[in-house]
Amino acid sequence: MTSEHQEKETVLSRRDFLATSAFLTATVAGFGIIAGFFRFFKSDVRYEEPSVFKIGKPENFPVGTARKLDDKKVFVFSDDGGFYAISCVCTHLGCIVHTSDNGFTCPCHGSKYNTAGKVISGPAPRSLPWFEITQDVDGSLVVNAGSEVPSGTKVKYS
Ligand code: FES
């Protein structure tokens, strides 16, 4: 082979490389577009816990009760003023708070809330929300975690 012939082969080889690269890039992009098209028509169902749930009869929460419902991410309390529910989810980044001597503490970044869920030290930006409690026709207490009520809202049911 002459050096001229070798140079020509190198040029052709480079062209082949570029053509192959362009083809592969177009193919991958095409698959992405097709996948996106089918994804658009697929339902985006999320299986989350319902935000309205029964927690049991009032007699299961005698005065002085402080119960954490882990699966529902809510605290339920009962005192002389009635029943009330406070979220367990830290308003900073969503960790689950724990009760402490002075209220609630977040284990993730140290936010502290008082017993009413009000932030007493950050980084949490907002107080823990209080949720509505109602009573079902069968007498069960029902927490609506989708319905916030003003802090301090307590309800009495028997
Ligand atoms: S998630 Fe609670 S302080 Fe950051």
Side-chain angles (χ1 to χ4, degrees):
M1 280 193 204
T2 65
S3 82
E4 185 181 311
H5 184 73
Q6 282 178 333
E7 191 173 299
K8 191 172 183 181
E9 267 186 10
T10 305
V11 170
L12 285 176
S13 176
R14 194 174 293 152
R15 279 189 185 156
D16 286 345
F17 173 76
L18 291 173
T20 303
S21 296
F23 174 75
L24 289 175
T25 301
T27 302
V28 169
F31 278 121
I33 290 169
I34 291 169
F37 179 77
F38 285 108
R39 177 81 174 85
F40 177 77
F41 289 106
K42 185 178 173 238
S43 64
D44 192 16
V45 177
R46 294 170 195 218
Y47 299 97
E48 296 176 352
E49 287 286 324
S51 60
V52 180
F53 48 88
K54 291 182 181 182
I55 58 172
K57 305 278 187 185
E59 55 266 27
N60 297 333
F61 298 89
V63 172
T65 297
R67 191 173 302 161
K68 183 179 184 184
L69 306 177
D70 287 317
D71 57 330
K72 306 296 184 190
K73 299 178 182 167
V74 68
F75 293 103
V76 177
F77 299 92
S78 172
D79 64 19
D80 291 331
F83 303 102
Y84 58 103
I86 300 178
S87 172
C88 292
V89 181
C90 180
T91 58
H92 178 224
L93 293 177
C95 290
I96 301 300
V97 300
H98 306 295
T99 52
S100 64
D101 292 341
N102 302 326
F104 308 94
T105 304
C106 181
C108 294
H109 309 104
S111 288
K112 294 185 183 340
Y113 304 85
N114 68 12
T115 54
K118 184 176 180 195
V119 178
I120 50 179
S121 70
R126 295 180 312 281
S127 300
L128 297 173
W130 287 47
F131 297 133
E132 178 185 41
I133 295 182
T134 56
Q135 190 170 33
D136 201 11
V137 290
D138 69 359
S140 298
L141 296 174
V142 178
V143 174
N144 184 349
S147 177
E148 289 186 30
V149 295
S151 173
T153 303
K154 300 178 183 181
V155 292
K156 289 192 173 189
Y157 295 111
S158 54

